[in-house]
Amino acid sequence: MHILQLDVHTHTLASGHAYGTITEMARAAADKGLSLLGITEHAAGIPGTCADLYFANLSVVPRRMFGIDLLLGAEINILDHEGTLSMAPKLIDTLDLRIAGIHEQCYTFGSIEENTHAVLQAIRNPAIDIISHPDDGNCPLDYDILVLEAKQHHTLLEINNNALRHPETRKNVVENAISILETSKRHGVPVLLSSDAHYMTDIANMDHILPLLARTDFPDELVINYSAERFSAWLKANRARGNRA
């Protein structure tokens, strides 16, 4: 097993239901030996989260703290079956990191075809880097299609530790995460592991993910978290392909 070098889906108190500051999160990430931390606050659609002005002003925050690199961005909501996003393209383009995902607070679960179509629009959007926690059986998805499209469009599917921690609210979450891993392994598609930490002590916590990696004999070379250099190069390639006219 390689050493985890990055965790790029985390939240601060700005998201409205998390409890650390940017500085506290960065210090904790450094203490845990990470090279890179991503903080991706919830965008509009989640109760209590920050306004667009928060994201527009992120340039004031240093991108290196306590010896680690810091990436700041958003977890943007997929709002409907057409894949409409809860943030304007112009603002998305200013972010270091762009995650898109479905949350029940602002999305009506549909059929497997409708939900898969919604997520596909985000995967195919060159401005989006990551699809967050596509694992809830209450919102069924076709993983064969999503994995192949993620490979084609250079978008990462996430295995989310926080989601795995709550199987009582997310239907078949373990089975679905295993399906994503097995399908990604079969097609040679890298995945992103995320803590989805909402407090400092949970940064880099993958305690529910690691048993699934072992269970599926998932290759280390397909876990992008094991190399900050590889992730940075991957992100740079995304920015090159995602430049808007």
Side-chain angles (χ1 to χ4, degrees):
M1 175 64 69
H2 292 296
I3 297 173
L4 199 76
Q5 294 191 6
L6 57 103
D7 187 4
V8 296
H9 180 177
T10 69
H11 300 274
T12 75
L13 51 80
S15 282
H17 58 281
Y19 304 96
T21 66
I22 291 175
T23 303
E24 289 169 333
M25 297 288 277
R27 182 183 291 113
D31 290 345
K32 293 193 175 191
L34 295 185
S35 301
L36 190 155
L37 174 69
I39 296 177
T40 47
E41 310 295 5
H42 284 288
I46 300 296
T49 196
C50 39
D52 284 354
L53 180 60
Y54 177 90
F55 298 104
N57 199 44
L58 285 174
S59 61
V60 305
V61 183
R63 293 313 200 262
R64 190 163 178 84
M65 295 184 184
F66 309 107
I68 69 167
D69 292 323
L70 186 64
L71 297 175
L72 301 178
E75 185 180 7
I76 303 158
N77 295 297
I78 298 171
L79 295 175
D80 55 35
H81 300 154
E82 295 307 311
T84 304
L85 299 178
S86 67
M87 182 177 284
K90 185 176 180 180
L91 186 54
I92 293 174
D93 286 346
T94 69
L95 303 175
D96 301 337
L97 278 173
R98 299 91 177 262
I99 299 176
I102 287 174
H103 294 90
E104 63 180 351
Q105 293 89 345
C106 50
Y107 179 90
T108 301
F109 299 151
S111 66
I112 188 169
E113 293 81 11
E114 289 171 328
N115 300 328
T116 300
H117 179 78
V119 176
L120 281 178
Q121 304 321 299
I123 288 175
R124 293 168 178 167
N125 185 332
I128 297 300
D129 303 314
I130 298 158
I131 301 299
S132 59
H133 44 64
D135 51 35
D136 186 356
N138 292 303
C139 182
L141 297 166
D142 187 323
Y143 297 122
D144 289 315
I145 293 174
L146 293 186
V147 168
L148 288 174
E149 290 276 342
K151 182 177 186 177
Q152 179 180 348
H153 295 280
H154 209 247
T155 306
L156 290 169
L157 299 182
E158 176 190 74
I159 306 297
N160 186 295
N161 198 70
N162 197 36
L164 289 164
R165 186 184 290 132
H166 298 290
E168 72 282 358
T169 60
R170 302 178 73 84
K171 183 180 178 182
N172 297 333
V173 62
V174 172
E175 294 84 352
N176 290 336
I178 288 173
S179 181
I180 295 168
L181 290 170
E182 290 179 337
T183 307
S184 297
K185 176 183 174 181
R186 186 163 64 250
H187 294 291
V189 182
V191 300
L192 177 77
L193 314 183
S194 296
S195 68
D196 197 358
H198 287 61
Y199 192 68
M200 295 80 72
T201 55
D202 206 33
I203 290 173
N205 181 10
M206 307 295 170
D207 60 343
H208 286 71
I209 295 176
L210 296 180
L212 301 189
L213 298 182
R215 181 171 167 181
T216 57
D217 193 25
F218 197 76
D220 285 347
E221 60 267 23
L222 293 181
V223 178
I224 202 163
N225 303 68
Y226 296 152
S227 171
E229 182 178 354
R230 181 185 179 194
F231 180 79
S232 296
W234 177 90
L235 201 62
K236 183 177 180 181
N238 265 16
R239 293 298 165 269
R241 76 184 178 99
N243 286 341
R244 300 181 190 272

